[in-house]
Amino acid sequence: MAARDVHTDDIRDLFSRAMSDMYRAEVPHYGTLLQLVAEVNTATLDANPQMRARLENGGEVERLSVERHGAIRLGTAHELSDIRRVFAVMGMHPVGYYDLSVAGVPVHSTAFRPIPERSLRRNPFRVFTSLLRLDLIQDPALRAKAEAILAGRRIFTSRVLKIVRVFEGEGALTRAEAEEFVREALQTFCWRSDATVDIDTYRKLHSAHRLIADVVSFKGPHINHLTPRTLDIDSVQAGMPGRGILPKAVIEGPPRRDCPILLRQTSFKALEESVVFKQAGSEAVGTHAARFGEIEQRGVALTAKGRKLYDNLLASVRRSVQVGASSSAGSYEARLSECFSSFPDDWTELRGRGLAFFRYSATEAGLASRAAGEMPLTMDALIANGFLRYDPIDYEDFLPVSAAGIFQSNLGTDEQNNYVGRSNRAQFEEALGIAVYDELELYDQATRASLERAMKQLGLPRLL
């Protein structure tokens, strides 16, 4: 009998690569983006040996070529609970709670991703997963109709759920089961051009919000983008038009910096795709826009103190400049850079002021000094003498304002719904079936674990 010994990291790697192949076939521009990002990353590393050395020291160069994040939108609590079980087979767990309703998008979300450092290095595949807030549909009749439509659909094959139950009972899968799991799970995320509603219902849902129409009108949560990671998003943004791709007006997130922080994202507009709608005794052909291209650049994860400073600065920018209109792109970027000039752009200051998370490691010089019996007694002295190294911890998560900005730019900038004050994390976690992980706690644990390991190697088991 075949052994059930396939690691969840390997299953995630199989799935993410299969997903990438599927999306490349469905959205040709995605393949163009991959090529552009690969060229920019190679040029950036060649031009910046210091960056290359830092990434190589953290084991991050290898993950660049496979790193992706996708996004899906679900309609019911049952779907969210089942997707959690499916992602668990791939070693992906819900991290963070994101309320996008405050930005006019009627969903709340989490990100399924690997958590251990070794798993992130193997393949940091993430899926930003949103649950539709049916309670935010104002028309009671339309809300009831949407609920009935969603209640009647099944987004997973019976076979994939059976394999999930095997995993939950046995703790692992055989190679054959893992490969079948990937094939079956992909069916949930593929594009289907036949709608489950008639065109009149679609138009009503679309009028309530374009995202509501996207969730309710189809058989499943087609993957709506798959995002590669770049080391220089400004170069990718500038290079997209030359590849026949028109990017959104502004890059979401912080401005360009020497020491990147959090997450910067850009995209091209959603494709207008042909859709066949159900009609009484006939069919009607229309279009639907949902799937688009996105690129991201990741920086260091910020502490609660750093994140508060970031949020305050970004809020001041957005209050003073309208975001999204192409005519204001230049003024927005100028204002963004002006406001963020007060945010330290130096690794030493970011660490010293407790604004960002870092991973510590003992250096060869430090190990040699221990052997010689010469060891400073403070962390700052260890760092100053080159005995203790610190490297920024990548931000593995998302930003609600940026996510909403990407959604709005691709689903229509005319959406002005206001759902402020309707956050409901308890409702989301009840639907999910478990509490989401706190991303700040995860980064803090990674910092502490690395420091404890380094201190032990240096013969200083106590944190200084």
Side-chain angles (χ1 to χ4, degrees):
M1 182 177 292
R4 286 197 165 91
D5 59 359
V6 181
H7 197 277
T8 54
D9 288 350
D10 295 322
I11 300 174
R12 182 176 65 261
D13 189 56
L14 283 172
F15 182 82
S16 68
R17 291 175 187 273
M19 175 85 83
S20 185
D21 290 342
M22 181 188 77
Y23 201 67
R24 187 196 294 260
E26 292 181 348
V27 182
H29 274 336
Y30 169 67
T32 305
L33 282 182
L34 291 183
Q35 182 178 2
L36 175 59
V37 167
E39 292 172 4
V40 168
N41 286 350
T42 297
T44 302
L45 289 173
D46 288 346
N48 194 329
Q50 187 175 8
M51 176 190 289
R52 180 186 288 276
R54 178 172 61 80
L55 293 176
E56 287 178 344
N57 185 71
E60 296 179 21
V61 172
E62 296 80 3
R63 74 181 241 181
L64 277 175
S65 61
V66 299
E67 186 161 355
R68 303 282 187 274
H69 95 247
I72 57 171
R73 302 152 187 164
L74 305 175
T76 68
H78 187 70
E79 291 175 358
L80 182 64
S81 177
D82 277 348
I83 204 74
R84 171 182 59 80
R85 297 169 62 214
V86 168
F87 283 137
V89 177
M90 297 181 253
M92 298 164 66
H93 307 282
V95 179
Y97 172 77
Y98 305 91
D99 174 29
L100 273 63
S101 69
V102 298
V105 182
V107 300
H108 44 186
S109 315
T110 191
F112 287 93
R113 67 166 176 89
I115 291 175
E117 182 181 339
R118 66 180 183 278
S119 298
L120 288 165
R121 289 186 178 184
R122 175 77 169 85
N123 188 322
F125 183 56
R126 317 167 186 86
V127 179
F128 191 80
T129 303
S130 300
L131 177 64
L132 180 63
R133 296 285 303 276
L134 287 170
D135 57 301
L136 298 181
I137 299 178
Q138 296 180 352
D139 182 342
L142 185 63
R143 182 168 62 247
K145 189 165 189 176
E147 289 174 344
I149 293 168
L150 291 171
R153 78 174 185 177
R154 297 292 179 268
I155 66 172
F156 299 103
T157 68
S158 58
R159 183 59 186 160
V160 79
L161 292 177
K162 184 175 180 180
I163 298 175
V164 168
R165 289 192 291 272
V166 170
F167 174 84
E168 291 170 342
E170 301 292 335
L173 299 178
T174 66
R175 169 60 61 169
E177 287 169 341
E179 291 174 350
E180 184 181 10
F181 168 84
V182 168
R183 290 194 301 271
E184 292 289 323
L186 277 180
Q187 295 186 43
T188 297
F189 301 95
C190 69
W191 169 252
R192 294 181 176 87
S193 60
D194 50 329
T196 57
V197 300
D198 58 61
I199 197 165
D200 182 59
T201 299
Y202 173 83
R203 286 170 177 165
K204 290 179 180 177
L205 294 167
H206 192 276
S207 294
H209 197 287
R210 297 186 184 197
L211 187 142
I212 296 173
D214 182 58
V215 175
V216 178
S217 303
F218 296 90
K219 293 180 180 179
H222 38 259
I223 194 83
N224 56 67
H225 64 267
L226 205 55
T227 304
R229 177 184 172 187
T230 183
L231 298 173
D232 185 354
I233 199 168
D234 299 276
S235 292
V236 174
Q237 176 94 336
M240 286 167 69
R243 306 295 176 102
I245 302 172
L246 183 63
K248 69 188 297 293
V250 299
I251 295 172
E252 298 287 347
R256 184 182 183 94
R257 296 164 46 88
D258 292 332
C259 301
I261 59 174
L262 295 174
L263 178 67
R264 302 181 72 204
Q265 297 170 286
T266 190
S267 67
F268 63 78
K269 259 200 155 179
L271 309 173
E272 286 285 344
E273 300 183 89
S274 179
V275 174
V276 177
F277 294 95
K278 288 184 174 181
Q279 299 294 110
S282 64
E283 295 179 339
V285 177
T287 61
H288 176 70
R291 301 188 303 160
F292 54 94
E294 184 177 291
I295 309 95
E296 66 184 18
Q297 179 178 351
R298 292 187 174 270
V300 67
L302 299 183
T303 62
K305 180 181 178 181
R307 184 58 185 270
K308 182 178 180 181
L309 176 58
Y310 169 83
D311 288 342
N312 288 340
L313 292 174
L314 185 64
S316 69
V317 175
R318 297 177 74 87
R319 282 194 300 267
S320 61
V321 182
Q322 180 184 358
V323 182
S326 59
S327 60
S328 67
S331 58
Y332 174 76
E333 290 170 352
R335 178 62 177 154
L336 189 69
S337 295
E338 177 186 352
C339 283
F340 272 84
S341 63
S342 62
F343 201 113
D345 195 11
D346 174 81
W347 295 126
T348 300
E349 189 173 359
L350 286 170
R351 192 194 73 85
R353 290 179 56 179
L355 297 174
F357 289 105
F358 293 87
R359 182 174 287 109
Y360 294 88
S361 58
T363 66
E364 291 184 6
L367 297 175
S369 180
R370 176 191 178 181
E374 303 172 357
M375 189 60 58
L377 298 179
T378 69
M379 183 188 296
D380 287 344
L382 288 170
I383 292 172
N385 283 276
F387 299 158
L388 184 66
R389 177 190 176 102
Y390 62 94
D391 292 287
I393 294 179
D394 279 344
Y395 186 64
E396 305 287 353
D397 298 291
F398 296 90
L399 302 172
V401 172
S402 295
I406 294 287
F407 276 24
Q408 295 288 34
S409 68
N410 288 288
L411 293 172
T413 56
D414 56 332
E415 303 285 0
Q416 297 296 327
N417 306 63
N418 185 355
Y419 307 116
V420 174
R422 302 297 297 276
S423 175
N424 198 331
R425 177 170 179 162
Q427 178 195 65
F428 184 88
E429 291 184 331
E430 181 180 3
L432 186 65
I434 60 173
V436 300
Y437 286 86
D438 184 313
E439 63 271 27
L440 291 181
E441 288 184 7
L442 295 178
Y443 296 123
D444 186 61
Q445 289 169 10
T447 295
R448 289 179 178 275
S450 70
L451 185 55
E452 183 176 345
R453 185 166 54 248
M455 291 292 125
K456 194 170 185 179
Q457 290 173 335
L458 294 173
L460 300 168
R462 297 175 60 187
L463 300 179
L464 303 179

